[in-house]
Amino acid sequence: MIGSGKTVGMILIGAGLAILLVVALFIGSGVASGRLGGSGAILGIGLFGVLPLLILGGIGAYLLSKGRAEEQELAGVRKKERLLGLIQAQGKAPLNSIIVELKMTRDEVKQDIYELVQQGLFTGYIDWSTNTFYSKDAAQVGSNKCPNCGGVRELVGQGIVKCQYCGAELFIPPGAPQTTATPTPPPAKA
């Protein structure tokens, strides 16, 4: 269950503190009534109070930190899901609206898109002249022509192809054809 490590960690830390408090009260009442000496009280608190606190508190702190890390990772995954859903639902999405809606920087959006491409979850392209993301089927993006201007594209990185004419970056899933044919200028627009 997501987030259970954090909850269990807090419970263990609380249990360790509760044990220490109960032991201290019990031993304190023994010292106050004169049935327990000072050295016995120190030994009792150490063995039955501090030791369980260290064990339970240590395990609890570890689980708490792991739970927080898991929570942050899950938040990142959810943000990528929202980014992907936003682009795919509309077919195209302006970069500025993505930044505002998801409360991300331009670099964070770019990094998340590249990660989604490498995971094979997103295909499409971005037209940097209009700062707009376009979602496309892998078959449409798989040709060696730029869907933005019609020019021949060139391979830039794994899953990323850039048109040298209009600057559009095409995001292609792993395994799709990524041709690097001799560049030809885009067709003239009439």
Side-chain angles (χ1 to χ4, degrees):
M1 184 164 157
I2 303 297
S4 63
K6 210 169 125 178
T7 304
V8 171
M10 288 190 281
I11 290 171
L12 287 175
I13 292 170
L17 289 171
I19 290 171
L20 178 63
L21 180 65
V22 168
V23 168
L25 289 173
F26 182 71
I27 291 175
S29 68
V31 170
S33 67
R35 292 181 288 178
L36 188 61
S39 61
I42 293 172
L43 181 63
I45 289 178
L47 284 177
F48 301 111
V50 174
L51 188 59
L53 174 64
L54 290 176
I55 292 170
L56 293 175
I59 294 170
Y62 173 76
L63 291 174
L64 185 63
S65 70
K66 286 300 237 183
R68 285 184 179 158
E70 182 182 272
E71 198 173 72
Q72 288 175 343
E73 184 178 330
L74 184 61
V77 168
R78 286 192 177 139
K79 195 170 263 195
K80 285 180 192 172
E81 285 176 348
R82 287 184 58 210
L83 171 63
L84 185 61
L86 184 69
I87 297 170
Q88 288 180 336
Q90 298 175 6
K92 70 176 187 174
L95 181 61
N96 291 339
S97 69
I98 292 171
I99 289 171
V100 169
E101 189 166 330
L102 299 180
K103 297 180 180 109
M104 298 172 73
T105 66
R106 178 185 171 112
D107 291 336
E108 287 172 335
V109 171
K110 194 173 183 179
Q111 178 183 346
D112 284 354
I113 284 290
Y114 288 166
E115 287 175 14
L116 288 168
V117 169
Q118 289 175 350
Q119 294 168 354
L121 298 173
F122 178 71
T123 58
Y125 69 98
I126 184 167
D127 180 1
W128 288 112
S129 64
T130 62
N131 284 325
T132 305
F133 281 98
Y134 295 90
S135 175
K136 296 284 184 190
D137 291 337
Q140 291 176 311
V141 180
S143 75
N144 68 344
K145 293 202 179 216
C146 174
N148 190 40
C149 73
V152 176
R153 62 188 191 179
E154 62 183 47
L155 185 63
V156 174
Q158 182 179 357
I160 303 165
V161 178
K162 187 172 187 175
C163 177
Q164 64 182 359
Y165 301 103
C166 69
E169 286 185 358
L170 294 92
F171 306 113
I172 301 170
Q178 296 183 14
T179 58
T180 56
T182 308
T184 57
K189 293 183 181 178

